Amino acid sequence: MWPHEQDICPVTLYLDSVKTYGFTSVAVRQIPLTTVGILQYIAPTIQRTETGFQIKGLHFMTRKSNNLRKAIKLSIIEGSYAQIYASLSSIGTVFITKFAILLNATPFHFGVLSAIGQFSQLFQPLGAIITKKLETRKSKTVRYAFIGRFLTLLLPVIPFYFMGDSAIYLFLTICLISTVLLAISGNMWIAWISDLIPLRFRGRFFSNRSVYLTIAAVLTGYIFGFFLDLFDSAEGGLAEKFKDSFSIGVYFTKENLPYAYTIIFGTAAAVGLYGLLILNKQPELPKKIETESFIVLLLSPFKDRNYRKLIIFGCWWMLAIGIGAPFWQPFMISNLKMSMLELQIYGTFSTIGALFMLRPWGRFVDRFGNKPAMILAIILGSVNPFIWLFAAPDNYWFLFIEAATSGVMWSGANVITTNFVLAVAPQGKQQIYSGMYSAVTGLAIVVTMLLSGMFLPPPMELFGLHLLPEQVLFGLTSILRLTAIIPLIGIFEHKAKPMMLVISHLNVFSKVKILQYSRWLFK
């Protein structure tokens, strides 16, 4: 008679049985090697394996199993390559924004461009449909990402062969097709990675991974931002002095900007495509074949009452975020007259804020839940746009402080949103739940983005402040973001702690930190 696994090693099991390596696997928190050695001495039928130990066909993987460690390591490396690609060629980056300005984009075009990035999320459920009858997602994930990233090579061709409206609309079309393919690939990837990473420390995984990706984004932004500044530098700026020092001004002129984008987008495509070779090495657990029909699969998440509440919150939040969203970077470039260097410095402050708080956000989510964490992110996210009401071409230094708080907020909001959907979804349904959430909420933000681009409000005077049309929208989004707490309250999350308990913990934590700092200061 064999004892239960709890009798052999009293630790908490935290993963359901899965089929791996030809036998049933169950992951445990931690099995000391000495314990396994003693068990081997007592019961010779207990055998060591490369990922843990095995008892009569049951394979127990330790927390540091080779498969999981390999997945995490490869995900960080591959993610860094993907981030470099995204930093240079994704909608919302300063490089795409300035490229659109080169093509003479209007406010309406910027509204469409921003909307495309979210409209593409409508196609995420196709990822679940494409893979529902497959046992693996890897090949499809890599294939769709390959085509989406390869299309980036077409962007630098536009200024050489097209002009006027034909140039800008071809640019928007390529961006649309590329982002749609990458959204489908992203949906398949999120299901792939959620199968690999246990729920109990998934929040920490995403936050730790984001740290490395953020560093890659900063370095990429500075290097290529300075490179682009050489072609379009302000008089007396750092790039201008650099050109004068090395007598290379004749090559780096505004007329040669199209060649600069050829190098930038060419590098983006090359790095992005190489990253897919690494992604192809990522391990994958066998996927359950789904037999539901197309319609049943798409509608299945909406039978979950709690999921419907999450969708309502997501739409509310995205509608609020979409107001004025197309104009953050154009406002900085056209109205505040910020140089590429200043834009990169702004991005750096945002990155520093994110780097400091990514891991604390992950630990906070794992300890208190996604719901209380999202409430804190919403409160902070409603304050940031309000600060922009005071910005002017001769007075915008405080925006660099806002950048840090914005980095703190978005680093949390992004991790929380990804983890929240996966936490609400039943086991095995993460892909379709995530896909439908992105599709519906993506449609919501598209609506307000397009409306922002089509109906810019007139300038107005408010409490002695002269607000430009973009600033009126920034003030409106500040107010509406805060109201997103209303639908969030109704969502049930099993591991979420009461907000009063969270506040109590934060209060104690702050007092301890203040006391520690005081002792250090006055010792």
Side-chain angles (χ1 to χ4, degrees), residues 37 101-102 119 159 190 237 427 443 458 519:
I101 292 175
L102 177 69
F119 176 77
I190 197 68
Q427 183 64 32
L443 181 61
R519 287 177 176 175

Side-chain angles (χ1 to χ4, degrees), residues 416-447:
I416 296 162
T417 302
T418 302
N419 207 50
F420 210 161
V421 181
L422 298 178
V424 169
Q427 183 64 32
K429 292 291 184 180
Q430 294 96 333
Q431 186 174 4
I432 189 62
Y433 269 60
S434 175
M436 292 306 298
Y437 179 86
S438 297
V440 176
T441 58
L443 181 61
I445 196 172
V446 164
V447 171

